[in-house]
Amino acid sequence: MSVESACQKFVQSRKSLVLSTLSQEGELETSVVPFVKLNQTDWAIWVSELSTHTQNLRFLTQQNNLKSEVPKPAGLVSGLLLADESDTPEMFARERMSVQFKVFQVEKGAEVEEVIYRQFSENFGEVVGVLKTLPDFHFFKLEIIWGRYIKGFGAAYSFDGPPCQNLEVVKGK
C-alpha cells in the first residue's frame, strides 16, 4: 500500500479530532470534537456554546471577518488525528496527523448547514436529531491549510491543502 493510500485510509477511519484553540486572553484550550469531512479540504464540527473551545472559535471567526492589509495568524486552529492506542504497538511511532485550519462559523439557515447536518446524521446516528433541537449548538467549517502525517518511525510527511496528496518527506536538519 502506498503512503498516500495509507494516509487516506487513516483519515477515513477517524471520527474525532483533538482540537486546540486560543482564547482572547491567549490561553490554550485543547478538547476532542466529533467531525465530518465535507470535501478534500473542508471539514466541519458541531459544538455547544457551553464549551470553552466554542467561545474561542467564535472569537477567531470574528477575527477572520476583519479586513486588513496585513495577514494575521488569528483564525487558525490546530487539529490532531490519532490512531487508537489499542492498535498501536509502539507509542513513539503512533500513526497521527496534525493539521492547521482556518475556521469559519456557519451561519444559521445557510445552505451548507443542512449539508453538514445530513453528514453528521449519517456518521453519528440518532443523537444528532436530539442535538439539532438544542439552541446552543453551532457548526464551524474548518478549512485545511497544511499538515503533517506521521506513519511511524522515520515516516513523516508534510502536505499543503488536501491531506494525503502531494506528500513530501520531512527531513531532519
Side-chain angles (χ1 to χ4, degrees):
M1 177 183 305
S2 71
V3 174
E4 289 81 7
S5 296
C7 180
Q8 290 170 352
K9 182 179 178 185
F10 174 70
V11 171
Q12 291 303 319
S13 72
R14 304 293 91 198
K15 292 183 177 185
S16 64
L17 176 68
V18 177
L19 189 69
S20 293
T21 60
L22 206 56
S23 73
Q24 293 181 49
E25 296 80 25
E27 295 171 346
L28 191 60
E29 170 77 14
T30 301
S31 55
V32 177
V33 295
F35 78 103
V36 296
K37 299 158 206 83
L38 303 175
N39 57 45
Q40 290 184 356
T41 57
D42 296 329
W43 295 354
I45 58 174
W46 198 16
V47 290
S48 168
E49 63 190 42
L50 301 176
S51 300
T52 303
H53 59 251
T54 304
Q55 299 307 316
N56 295 346
L57 291 168
R58 292 177 106 180
F59 171 71
L60 292 173
T61 58
Q62 291 169 359
Q63 296 301 302
N64 282 344
N65 292 332
L66 295 177
K67 302 294 182 209
S68 173
E69 297 286 325
V70 181
K72 297 178 182 169
L76 295 180
V77 296
S78 182
L80 180 67
L81 303 178
L82 291 166
D84 294 328
E85 286 187 9
S86 61
D87 297 335
T88 304
E90 176 54 65
M91 286 301 126
F92 287 100
R94 189 175 184 180
E95 189 175 14
R96 59 200 177 271
M97 177 182 287
S98 59
V99 184
Q100 296 298 305
F101 300 102
K102 190 167 185 179
V103 61
F104 302 91
Q105 186 166 358
V106 176
E107 296 300 322
K108 298 268 185 202
E111 195 173 304
V112 72
E113 185 181 39
E114 189 58 34
V115 172
I116 297 170
Y117 173 74
R118 279 195 310 271
Q119 191 73 25
F120 268 91
S121 292
E122 289 173 17
N123 289 11
F124 297 103
E126 291 180 26
V127 70
V128 173
V130 174
L131 296 177
K132 189 174 185 179
T133 67
L134 303 176
D136 64 305
F137 272 77
H138 303 277
F139 289 118
F140 289 87
K141 184 180 86 162
L142 304 175
E143 180 183 299
I144 297 170
I145 307 300
W146 61 271
R148 187 170 276 195
Y149 171 62
I150 310 299
K151 177 70 179 131
F153 282 125
Y157 305 88
S158 64
F159 58 87
D160 289 320
C164 309
Q165 295 181 17
N166 302 313
L167 294 174
E168 294 197 19
V169 175
V170 175
K171 296 178 182 163
K173 295 182 180 189

